[in-house]
Amino acid sequence: MNTSFNESANKSITSFTNQLDVFQKTNSLIEYIKTHLKVIEDDLDFDVFDLVKKLNDISSLVNIANLDLTVISKMLYGASNNWEKIFLIKNAYLTIFETFKTYDKHRKFLNDVSTITYPFLKEELREVNNLIKKFKNKYKYESEMSVIRNNISGHVSDNVELYYNTIIKFDANETALMIVSFLEITLNLQNFLTTILLQEQLKKHTEDIIEKTRLEISDLKKINSLKNLQKRP
């Protein structure tokens, strides 16, 4: 295997893994803060937390897909026989197909954010969606990719002839190019999501609430400590 390609893939895997960890740790912190805030103030507006958590969930989806496809690319590059390549190609198709299916569930949310909350990002999201549309047309998402997902990678069809005739047409080089095109889309999508998260207004609002929460939780702990002291004989 080409050493530089292997090193590049490993760096990408490390980067995607670190990003995924950050998104999930942030979401855990958000849930912790919301739980403690509810004890202190029931009618507090949690919209900013919910927005960040939703964006982190979508970013996590993107990073999981990137991780899977980078690992597949690395293994595909070093595959020593056709059946290894077939196995990896099947999983590449499945990952891409299912990622787009899940992304479609978030389309309305992202559209609302880009048209209502941050309208200056409307064109950026439209570009992402246009790239997805071009990708689906080029790689025949609704016809060929869905057949592979439904009969080869997601499920094993009892139509052995269909299974065999499909996999013998798999092309490792074409699949590698397909993965590269997909990663270009996810890069644009991640840039869009990051732009939202880095908005000064959102950032400041989040920081203010977190600071307020930290102080209130601290006060609550002090009160509880005093109560415990008073209860001692």
Side-chain angles (χ1 to χ4, degrees):
M1 179 183 291
N2 185 289
T3 303
S4 62
F5 178 84
N6 193 35
E7 290 177 351
S8 178
N10 287 337
K11 287 180 181 178
S12 295
I13 291 169
T14 299
S15 177
F16 292 140
T17 301
N18 290 339
Q19 290 177 38
L20 182 60
D21 288 343
V22 169
F23 294 136
Q24 291 308 300
K25 286 177 181 177
T26 301
N27 280 357
S28 295
L29 177 60
I30 287 173
E31 288 304 311
Y32 175 83
I33 290 173
K34 286 176 63 177
T35 299
H36 285 77
L37 273 178
K38 286 178 181 177
V39 175
I40 301 168
E41 193 173 347
D42 288 333
D43 60 349
L44 190 68
D45 184 2
F46 292 110
D47 287 351
V48 66
F49 286 114
D50 293 336
L51 174 60
V52 172
K53 186 176 185 300
K54 184 76 170 179
L55 292 168
N56 283 341
D57 285 341
I58 300 172
S59 294
S60 295
L61 163 70
V62 172
N63 272 269
I64 290 170
N66 288 344
L67 275 167
D68 285 352
L69 290 170
T70 303
V71 171
I72 289 171
S73 298
K74 180 182 174 183
M75 296 177 70
L76 188 61
Y77 193 82
S80 60
N81 59 72
N82 284 337
W83 199 256
E84 284 183 352
K85 293 178 182 179
I86 289 170
F87 175 81
L88 295 166
I89 292 170
K90 287 194 300 181
N91 282 279
Y93 274 98
L94 180 62
T95 298
I96 292 173
F97 190 90
E98 293 300 318
T99 300
F100 281 143
K101 277 188 66 176
T102 305
Y103 172 77
D104 285 341
K105 297 177 182 178
H106 298 296
R107 274 183 181 268
K108 185 180 184 306
F109 164 77
L110 294 175
N111 183 65
D112 289 345
V113 170
S114 66
T115 57
I116 300 172
T117 312
Y118 298 107
F120 67 93
L121 291 174
K122 183 177 180 180
E123 289 302 318
E124 193 169 332
L125 180 62
R126 181 177 294 175
E127 178 61 25
V128 171
N129 289 330
N130 284 338
L131 289 173
I132 293 174
K133 184 178 180 180
K134 291 177 182 177
F135 180 97
K136 288 182 174 181
N137 288 336
K138 180 176 181 178
Y139 294 103
K140 301 177 181 178
Y141 179 84
E142 297 296 342
S143 53
E144 292 185 6
M145 289 191 74
S146 63
V147 169
I148 293 171
R149 185 269 179 196
N150 293 330
N151 297 282
I152 310 295
S153 54
H155 305 279
V156 178
S157 173
D158 58 0
N159 187 336
V160 179
E161 185 175 323
L162 171 64
Y163 190 99
Y164 178 76
N165 288 336
T166 302
I167 64 173
I168 62 173
K169 296 177 183 176
F170 282 167
D171 185 293
N173 291 330
E174 183 179 343
T175 302
L177 292 174
M178 180 179 70
I179 291 174
V180 170
S181 295
F182 179 85
L183 293 176
E184 289 175 356
I185 294 172
T186 58
L187 175 61
N188 280 272
L189 175 57
Q190 191 61 67
N191 287 340
F192 167 79
L193 296 169
T194 301
T195 301
I196 297 175
L197 287 169
L198 291 178
Q199 290 307 298
E200 287 303 317
Q201 181 181 357
L202 179 60
K203 181 180 177 182
K204 185 177 187 306
H205 191 184
T206 304
E207 290 173 347
D208 289 344
I209 292 178
I210 289 175
E211 179 61 25
K212 182 174 183 290
T213 303
R214 185 182 296 111
L215 292 173
E216 290 179 336
I217 291 175
S218 177
D219 290 340
L220 185 61
K221 287 180 178 178
K222 290 177 182 177
I223 292 171
N224 287 334
S225 295
L226 288 173
K227 287 181 178 179
N228 291 332
L229 286 173
Q230 291 172 356
K231 289 180 181 178
R232 293 180 181 176

